[in-house]
Amino acid sequence: MPGSIPLWLDHASIAVPELADAVAHLDDRLGLRATVSPATPERHSRVYLDRGYLEVAARPGDTGWTASLFFLRFDDPEALRGHLEAVGLAYRFGAYEGVDGTWDDVEIDAGEVPLPILVRRTAPAEIAQDWPPALPAPHRCGARTLAQVHVGVPSLEPAIEAYERLLGLEAAPATTVDPRSGRSRATLPAASGEVVLLDAGTGEIERIVLGVGSLEKARTALGERLTIDPPDPVAWLDPADAFGLELGFVEA
């Protein structure tokens, strides 16, 4: 279980070639509502989930959809500093000016191991105090939480060790065989959601999994494009339906 410093799975960033087309496709084909940011309606939006979200932003010149970064959320800067120092992880505290606010932004250095950025929204104060917001109702496809981020790492053993320290886990998780690729993998729990490490990767986010109340209801909304293939608990969309992005759904 996670240690005394809770780190929640906050959001993942998805880059798309053109925002308006992506927002329409998310709604029409994938049953996901994207909220366009009023400050930059041509390039930034969010698919809100419960206390988390997908950030969908335009990156002109791309030919598909790619997941670029993911973020864990903390709530106590001083406690976080103490935790990172206690577990021996080098870090850099900074501030990030986003399109509609300011965040504490903490980068972790674990050598070749790709680690998430740690964030905490600080402004505007009236929004930051309850950010990310609760989700009032599931999306049409049934999605309601950010359940998993799958990260390809060059070597599984040092990645597990770094994440074990970051998340304050009492013991390293067992490695298993990934049912989708046959690669070795490890699943690590955060305060909300999970980080899945996949061996023999390049440090990129390879997949995003959303939590739903019922896979059968998700199948009703998405049709045969959603493949349910037990014993894999995750049902996957054909990557062509998300322009190369691997997007899955799991009961959570």
mmCIF file with all atom_site columns, all heavy atoms in Angstrom, residues 28-47:
data_model
loop_
_atom_site.group_PDB
_atom_site.id
_atom_site.type_symbol
_atom_site.label_atom_id
_atom_site.label_alt_id
_atom_site.label_comp_id
_atom_site.label_asym_id
_atom_site.label_entity_id
_atom_site.label_seq_id
_atom_site.pdbx_PDB_ins_code
_atom_site.Cartn_x
_atom_site.Cartn_y
_atom_site.Cartn_z
_atom_site.occupancy
_atom_site.B_iso_or_equiv
_atom_site.pdbx_formal_charge
_atom_site.auth_seq_id
_atom_site.auth_comp_id
_atom_site.auth_asym_id
_atom_site.auth_atom_id
_atom_site.pdbx_PDB_model_num
ATOM 1   N N   . ASP A 1 28 ? -17.933 12.147 -30.304 1.00 0.00 ? 28 ASP A N   1
ATOM 2   C CA  . ASP A 1 28 ? -18.739 11.377 -31.246 1.00 0.00 ? 28 ASP A CA  1
ATOM 3   C C   . ASP A 1 28 ? -18.398 9.894  -31.243 1.00 0.00 ? 28 ASP A C   1
ATOM 4   O O   . ASP A 1 28 ? -19.291 9.043  -31.290 1.00 0.00 ? 28 ASP A O   1
ATOM 5   C CB  . ASP A 1 28 ? -18.575 11.928 -32.662 1.00 0.00 ? 28 ASP A CB  1
ATOM 6   C CG  . ASP A 1 28 ? -19.090 13.351 -32.810 1.00 0.00 ? 28 ASP A CG  1
ATOM 7   O OD1 . ASP A 1 28 ? -19.886 13.776 -31.945 1.00 0.00 ? 28 ASP A OD1 1
ATOM 8   O OD2 . ASP A 1 28 ? -18.698 14.025 -33.773 1.00 0.00 ? 28 ASP A OD2 1
ATOM 9   N N   . ARG A 1 29 ? -17.114 9.569  -31.223 1.00 0.00 ? 29 ARG A N   1
ATOM 10  C CA  . ARG A 1 29 ? -16.676 8.186  -31.391 1.00 0.00 ? 29 ARG A CA  1
ATOM 11  C C   . ARG A 1 29 ? -16.315 7.480  -30.079 1.00 0.00 ? 29 ARG A C   1
ATOM 12  O O   . ARG A 1 29 ? -16.510 6.276  -29.964 1.00 0.00 ? 29 ARG A O   1
ATOM 13  C CB  . ARG A 1 29 ? -15.454 8.142  -32.317 1.00 0.00 ? 29 ARG A CB  1
ATOM 14  C CG  . ARG A 1 29 ? -15.761 8.493  -33.761 1.00 0.00 ? 29 ARG A CG  1
ATOM 15  C CD  . ARG A 1 29 ? -16.472 7.370  -34.458 1.00 0.00 ? 29 ARG A CD  1
ATOM 16  N NE  . ARG A 1 29 ? -15.586 6.221  -34.700 1.00 0.00 ? 29 ARG A NE  1
ATOM 17  C CZ  . ARG A 1 29 ? -16.001 5.045  -35.170 1.00 0.00 ? 29 ARG A CZ  1
ATOM 18  N NH1 . ARG A 1 29 ? -17.283 4.855  -35.433 1.00 0.00 ? 29 ARG A NH1 1
ATOM 19  N NH2 . ARG A 1 29 ? -15.143 4.051  -35.363 1.00 0.00 ? 29 ARG A NH2 1
ATOM 20  N N   . LEU A 1 30 ? -15.792 8.237  -29.115 1.00 0.00 ? 30 LEU A N   1
ATOM 21  C CA  . LEU A 1 30 ? -15.297 7.596  -27.900 1.00 0.00 ? 30 LEU A CA  1
ATOM 22  C C   . LEU A 1 30 ? -16.171 7.855  -26.680 1.00 0.00 ? 30 LEU A C   1
ATOM 23  O O   . LEU A 1 30 ? -15.908 7.315  -25.614 1.00 0.00 ? 30 LEU A O   1
ATOM 24  C CB  . LEU A 1 30 ? -13.862 8.053  -27.619 1.00 0.00 ? 30 LEU A CB  1
ATOM 25  C CG  . LEU A 1 30 ? -12.860 7.852  -28.764 1.00 0.00 ? 30 LEU A CG  1
ATOM 26  C CD1 . LEU A 1 30 ? -11.455 8.202  -28.299 1.00 0.00 ? 30 LEU A CD1 1
ATOM 27  C CD2 . LEU A 1 30 ? -12.904 6.426  -29.294 1.00 0.00 ? 30 LEU A CD2 1
ATOM 28  N N   . GLY A 1 31 ? -17.175 8.694  -26.804 1.00 0.00 ? 31 GLY A N   1
ATOM 29  C CA  . GLY A 1 31 ? -18.081 8.941  -25.691 1.00 0.00 ? 31 GLY A CA  1
ATOM 30  C C   . GLY A 1 31 ? -17.442 9.670  -24.534 1.00 0.00 ? 31 GLY A C   1
ATOM 31  O O   . GLY A 1 31 ? -17.820 9.473  -23.377 1.00 0.00 ? 31 GLY A O   1
ATOM 32  N N   . LEU A 1 32 ? -16.468 10.544 -24.826 1.00 0.00 ? 32 LEU A N   1
ATOM 33  C CA  . LEU A 1 32 ? -15.761 11.304 -23.796 1.00 0.00 ? 32 LEU A CA  1
ATOM 34  C C   . LEU A 1 32 ? -15.975 12.796 -24.020 1.00 0.00 ? 32 LEU A C   1
ATOM 35  O O   . LEU A 1 32 ? -15.704 13.306 -25.116 1.00 0.00 ? 32 LEU A O   1
ATOM 36  C CB  . LEU A 1 32 ? -14.262 10.990 -23.825 1.00 0.00 ? 32 LEU A CB  1
ATOM 37  C CG  . LEU A 1 32 ? -13.859 9.559  -23.435 1.00 0.00 ? 32 LEU A CG  1
ATOM 38  C CD1 . LEU A 1 32 ? -12.417 9.300  -23.820 1.00 0.00 ? 32 LEU A CD1 1
ATOM 39  C CD2 . LEU A 1 32 ? -14.072 9.327  -21.942 1.00 0.00 ? 32 LEU A CD2 1
ATOM 40  N N   . ARG A 1 33 ? -16.445 13.498 -23.002 1.00 0.00 ? 33 ARG A N   1
ATOM 41  C CA  . ARG A 1 33 ? -16.680 14.931 -23.108 1.00 0.00 ? 33 ARG A CA  1
ATOM 42  C C   . ARG A 1 33 ? -15.390 15.688 -22.824 1.00 0.00 ? 33 ARG A C   1
ATOM 43  O O   . ARG A 1 33 ? -14.816 15.549 -21.738 1.00 0.00 ? 33 ARG A O   1
ATOM 44  C CB  . ARG A 1 33 ? -17.739 15.395 -22.099 1.00 0.00 ? 33 ARG A CB  1
ATOM 45  C CG  . ARG A 1 33 ? -19.069 14.693 -22.187 1.00 0.00 ? 33 ARG A CG  1
ATOM 46  C CD  . ARG A 1 33 ? -20.047 15.252 -21.152 1.00 0.00 ? 33 ARG A CD  1
ATOM 47  N NE  . ARG A 1 33 ? -19.538 15.134 -19.782 1.00 0.00 ? 33 ARG A NE  1
ATOM 48  C CZ  . ARG A 1 33 ? -19.680 14.065 -19.027 1.00 0.00 ? 33 ARG A CZ  1
ATOM 49  N NH1 . ARG A 1 33 ? -20.291 12.989 -19.488 1.00 0.00 ? 33 ARG A NH1 1
ATOM 50  N NH2 . ARG A 1 33 ? -19.208 14.049 -17.780 1.00 0.00 ? 33 ARG A NH2 1
ATOM 51  N N   . ALA A 1 34 ? -14.956 16.495 -23.758 1.00 0.00 ? 34 ALA A N   1
ATOM 52  C CA  . ALA A 1 34 ? -13.782 17.347 -23.532 1.00 0.00 ? 34 ALA A CA  1
ATOM 53  C C   . ALA A 1 34 ? -14.250 18.779 -23.336 1.00 0.00 ? 34 ALA A C   1
ATOM 54  O O   . ALA A 1 34 ? -15.075 19.286 -24.102 1.00 0.00 ? 34 ALA A O   1
ATOM 55  C CB  . ALA A 1 34 ? -12.826 17.262 -24.714 1.00 0.00 ? 34 ALA A CB  1
ATOM 56  N N   . THR A 1 35 ? -13.729 19.430 -22.303 1.00 0.00 ? 35 THR A N   1
ATOM 57  C CA  . THR A 1 35 ? -14.052 20.826 -22.012 1.00 0.00 ? 35 THR A CA  1
ATOM 58  C C   . THR A 1 35 ? -12.918 21.699 -22.523 1.00 0.00 ? 35 THR A C   1
ATOM 59  O O   . THR A 1 35 ? -11.783 21.597 -22.052 1.00 0.00 ? 35 THR A O   1
ATOM 60  C CB  . THR A 1 35 ? -14.231 21.041 -20.500 1.00 0.00 ? 35 THR A CB  1
ATOM 61  O OG1 . THR A 1 35 ? -15.284 20.189 -20.023 1.00 0.00 ? 35 THR A OG1 1
ATOM 62  C CG2 . THR A 1 35 ? -14.568 22.485 -20.190 1.00 0.00 ? 35 THR A CG2 1
ATOM 63  N N   . VAL A 1 36 ? -13.220 22.548 -23.489 1.00 0.00 ? 36 VAL A N   1
ATOM 64  C CA  . VAL A 1 36 ? -12.208 23.429 -24.072 1.00 0.00 ? 36 VAL A CA  1
ATOM 65  C C   . VAL A 1 36 ? -11.899 24.562 -23.103 1.00 0.00 ? 36 VAL A C   1
ATOM 66  O O   . VAL A 1 36 ? -12.811 25.140 -22.497 1.00 0.00 ? 36 VAL A O   1
ATOM 67  C CB  . VAL A 1 36 ? -12.694 23.972 -25.431 1.00 0.00 ? 36 VAL A CB  1
ATOM 68  C CG1 . VAL A 1 36 ? -11.721 25.004 -25.989 1.00 0.00 ? 36 VAL A CG1 1
ATOM 69  C CG2 . VAL A 1 36 ? -12.868 22.826 -26.425 1.00 0.00 ? 36 VAL A CG2 1
ATOM 70  N N   . SER A 1 37 ? -10.630 24.872 -22.943 1.00 0.00 ? 37 SER A N   1
ATOM 71  C CA  . SER A 1 37 ? -10.217 25.933 -22.018 1.00 0.00 ? 37 SER A CA  1
ATOM 72  C C   . SER A 1 37 ? -10.485 27.297 -22.643 1.00 0.00 ? 37 SER A C   1
ATOM 73  O O   . SER A 1 37 ? -9.975  27.588 -23.725 1.00 0.00 ? 37 SER A O   1
ATOM 74  C CB  . SER A 1 37 ? -8.720  25.799 -21.699 1.00 0.00 ? 37 SER A CB  1
ATOM 75  O OG  . SER A 1 37 ? -8.459  24.537 -21.132 1.00 0.00 ? 37 SER A OG  1
ATOM 76  N N   . PRO A 1 38 ? -11.278 28.151 -21.990 1.00 0.00 ? 38 PRO A N   1
ATOM 77  C CA  . PRO A 1 38 ? -11.631 29.444 -22.590 1.00 0.00 ? 38 PRO A CA  1
ATOM 78  C C   . PRO A 1 38 ? -10.425 30.323 -22.918 1.00 0.00 ? 38 PRO A C   1
ATOM 79  O O   . PRO A 1 38 ? -10.463 31.082 -23.883 1.00 0.00 ? 38 PRO A O   1
ATOM 80  C CB  . PRO A 1 38 ? -12.505 30.095 -21.508 1.00 0.00 ? 38 PRO A CB  1
ATOM 81  C CG  . PRO A 1 38 ? -13.064 28.956 -20.729 1.00 0.00 ? 38 PRO A CG  1
ATOM 82  C CD  . PRO A 1 38 ? -11.980 27.915 -20.714 1.00 0.00 ? 38 PRO A CD  1
ATOM 83  N N   . ALA A 1 39 ? -9.342  30.215 -22.145 1.00 0.00 ? 39 ALA A N   1
ATOM 84  C CA  . ALA A 1 39 ? -8.182  31.080 -22.390 1.00 0.00 ? 39 ALA A CA  1
ATOM 85  C C   . ALA A 1 39 ? -7.469  30.733 -23.687 1.00 0.00 ? 39 ALA A C   1
ATOM 86  O O   . ALA A 1 39 ? -6.893  31.621 -24.334 1.00 0.00 ? 39 ALA A O   1
ATOM 87  C CB  . ALA A 1 39 ? -7.200  30.974 -21.218 1.00 0.00 ? 39 ALA A CB  1
ATOM 88  N N   . THR A 1 40 ? -7.503  29.469 -24.086 1.00 0.00 ? 40 THR A N   1
ATOM 89  C CA  . THR A 1 40 ? -6.830  29.042 -25.323 1.00 0.00 ? 40 THR A CA  1
ATOM 90  C C   . THR A 1 40 ? -7.687  27.993 -26.025 1.00 0.00 ? 40 THR A C   1
ATOM 91  O O   . THR A 1 40 ? -7.318  26.818 -26.095 1.00 0.00 ? 40 THR A O   1
ATOM 92  C CB  . THR A 1 40 ? -5.429  28.463 -25.024 1.00 0.00 ? 40 THR A CB  1
ATOM 93  O OG1 . THR A 1 40 ? -5.563  27.420 -24.048 1.00 0.00 ? 40 THR A OG1 1
ATOM 94  C CG2 . THR A 1 40 ? -4.476  29.530 -24.522 1.00 0.00 ? 40 THR A CG2 1
ATOM 95  N N   . PRO A 1 41 ? -8.843  28.399 -26.555 1.00 0.00 ? 41 PRO A N   1
ATOM 96  C CA  . PRO A 1 41 ? -9.791  27.419 -27.109 1.00 0.00 ? 41 PRO A CA  1
ATOM 97  C C   . PRO A 1 41 ? -9.280  26.683 -28.337 1.00 0.00 ? 41 PRO A C   1
ATOM 98  O O   . PRO A 1 41 ? -9.818  25.633 -28.693 1.00 0.00 ? 41 PRO A O   1
ATOM 99  C CB  . PRO A 1 41 ? -11.017 28.277 -27.446 1.00 0.00 ? 41 PRO A CB  1
ATOM 100 C CG  . PRO A 1 41 ? -10.468 29.653 -27.640 1.00 0.00 ? 41 PRO A CG  1
ATOM 101 C CD  . PRO A 1 41 ? -9.340  29.782 -26.665 1.00 0.00 ? 41 PRO A CD  1
ATOM 102 N N   . GLU A 1 42 ? -8.245  27.203 -28.964 1.00 0.00 ? 42 GLU A N   1
ATOM 103 C CA  . GLU A 1 42 ? -7.728  26.552 -30.168 1.00 0.00 ? 42 GLU A CA  1
ATOM 104 C C   . GLU A 1 42 ? -6.680  25.494 -29.868 1.00 0.00 ? 42 GLU A C   1
ATOM 105 O O   . GLU A 1 42 ? -6.290  24.729 -30.759 1.00 0.00 ? 42 GLU A O   1
ATOM 106 C CB  . GLU A 1 42 ? -7.137  27.605 -31.119 1.00 0.00 ? 42 GLU A CB  1
ATOM 107 C CG  . GLU A 1 42 ? -5.787  28.182 -30.703 1.00 0.00 ? 42 GLU A CG  1
ATOM 108 C CD  . GLU A 1 42 ? -5.856  29.139 -29.517 1.00 0.00 ? 42 GLU A CD  1
ATOM 109 O OE1 . GLU A 1 42 ? -6.968  29.528 -29.121 1.00 0.00 ? 42 GLU A OE1 1
ATOM 110 O OE2 . GLU A 1 42 ? -4.771  29.495 -28.996 1.00 0.00 ? 42 GLU A OE2 1
ATOM 111 N N   . ARG A 1 43 ? -6.235  25.420 -28.595 1.00 0.00 ? 43 ARG A N   1
ATOM 112 C CA  . ARG A 1 43 ? -5.134  24.475 -28.358 1.00 0.00 ? 43 ARG A CA  1
ATOM 113 C C   . ARG A 1 43 ? -5.196  23.690 -27.050 1.00 0.00 ? 43 ARG A C   1
ATOM 114 O O   . ARG A 1 43 ? -4.351  22.816 -26.842 1.00 0.00 ? 43 ARG A O   1
ATOM 115 C CB  . ARG A 1 43 ? -3.792  25.201 -28.420 1.00 0.00 ? 43 ARG A CB  1
ATOM 116 C CG  . ARG A 1 43 ? -3.551  26.278 -27.369 1.00 0.00 ? 43 ARG A CG  1
ATOM 117 C CD  . ARG A 1 43 ? -2.210  26.977 -27.590 1.00 0.00 ? 43 ARG A CD  1
ATOM 118 N NE  . ARG A 1 43 ? -1.929  28.005 -26.608 1.00 0.00 ? 43 ARG A NE  1
ATOM 119 C CZ  . ARG A 1 43 ? -1.322  27.804 -25.435 1.00 0.00 ? 43 ARG A CZ  1
ATOM 120 N NH1 . ARG A 1 43 ? -0.939  26.584 -25.114 1.00 0.00 ? 43 ARG A NH1 1
ATOM 121 N NH2 . ARG A 1 43 ? -1.104  28.801 -24.615 1.00 0.00 ? 43 ARG A NH2 1
ATOM 122 N N   . HIS A 1 44 ? -6.158  23.913 -26.175 1.00 0.00 ? 44 HIS A N   1
ATOM 123 C CA  . HIS A 1 44 ? -6.119  23.222 -24.883 1.00 0.00 ? 44 HIS A CA  1
ATOM 124 C C   . HIS A 1 44 ? -7.510  22.822 -24.418 1.00 0.00 ? 44 HIS A C   1
ATOM 125 O O   . HIS A 1 44 ? -8.468  23.591 -24.532 1.00 0.00 ? 44 HIS A O   1
ATOM 126 C CB  . HIS A 1 44 ? -5.474  24.120 -23.819 1.00 0.00 ? 44 HIS A CB  1
ATOM 127 C CG  . HIS A 1 44 ? -5.209  23.437 -22.519 1.00 0.00 ? 44 HIS A CG  1
ATOM 128 N ND1 . HIS A 1 44 ? -6.128  23.422 -21.491 1.00 0.00 ? 44 HIS A ND1 1
ATOM 129 C CD2 . HIS A 1 44 ? -4.140  22.723 -22.082 1.00 0.00 ? 44 HIS A CD2 1
ATOM 130 C CE1 . HIS A 1 44 ? -5.626  22.747 -20.473 1.00 0.00 ? 44 HIS A CE1 1
ATOM 131 N NE2 . HIS A 1 44 ? -4.421  22.314 -20.795 1.00 0.00 ? 44 HIS A NE2 1
ATOM 132 N N   . SER A 1 45 ? -7.618  21.601 -23.876 1.00 0.00 ? 45 SER A N   1
ATOM 133 C CA  . SER A 1 45 ? -8.885  21.122 -23.321 1.00 0.00 ? 45 SER A CA  1
ATOM 134 C C   . SER A 1 45 ? -8.594  20.068 -22.264 1.00 0.00 ? 45 SER A C   1
ATOM 135 O O   . SER A 1 45 ? -7.460  19.596 -22.117 1.00 0.00 ? 45 SER A O   1
ATOM 136 C CB  . SER A 1 45 ? -9.769  20.528 -24.427 1.00 0.00 ? 45 SER A CB  1
ATOM 137 O OG  . SER A 1 45 ? -9.199  19.318 -24.916 1.00 0.00 ? 45 SER A OG  1
ATOM 138 N N   . ARG A 1 46 ? -9.646  19.686 -21.525 1.00 0.00 ? 46 ARG A N   1
ATOM 139 C CA  . ARG A 1 46 ? -9.529  18.628 -20.532 1.00 0.00 ? 46 ARG A CA  1
ATOM 140 C C   . ARG A 1 46 ? -10.738 17.707 -20.609 1.00 0.00 ? 46 ARG A C   1
ATOM 141 O O   . ARG A 1 46 ? -11.868 18.167 -20.766 1.00 0.00 ? 46 ARG A O   1
ATOM 142 C CB  . ARG A 1 46 ? -9.439  19.202 -19.110 1.00 0.00 ? 46 ARG A CB  1
ATOM 143 C CG  . ARG A 1 46 ? -8.204  20.041 -18.829 1.00 0.00 ? 46 ARG A CG  1
ATOM 144 C CD  . ARG A 1 46 ? -8.182  20.475 -17.362 1.00 0.00 ? 46 ARG A CD  1
ATOM 145 N NE  . ARG A 1 46 ? -7.011  21.296 -17.046 1.00 0.00 ? 46 ARG A NE  1
ATOM 146 C CZ  . ARG A 1 46 ? -7.009  22.633 -17.045 1.00 0.00 ? 46 ARG A CZ  1
ATOM 147 N NH1 . ARG A 1 46 ? -8.137  23.290 -17.331 1.00 0.00 ? 46 ARG A NH1 1
ATOM 148 N NH2 . ARG A 1 46 ? -5.910  23.291 -16.751 1.00 0.00 ? 46 ARG A NH2 1
ATOM 149 N N   . VAL A 1 47 ? -10.477 16.416 -20.493 1.00 0.00 ? 47 VAL A N   1
ATOM 150 C CA  . VAL A 1 47 ? -11.530 15.428 -20.281 1.00 0.00 ? 47 VAL A CA  1
ATOM 151 C C   . VAL A 1 47 ? -11.550 15.172 -18.779 1.00 0.00 ? 47 VAL A C   1
ATOM 152 O O   . VAL A 1 47 ? -10.686 14.471 -18.241 1.00 0.00 ? 47 VAL A O   1
ATOM 153 C CB  . VAL A 1 47 ? -11.256 14.126 -21.054 1.00 0.00 ? 47 VAL A CB  1
ATOM 154 C CG1 . VAL A 1 47 ? -12.318 13.071 -20.723 1.00 0.00 ? 47 VAL A CG1 1
ATOM 155 C CG2 . VAL A 1 47 ? -11.234 14.397 -22.561 1.00 0.00 ? 47 VAL A CG2 1
#
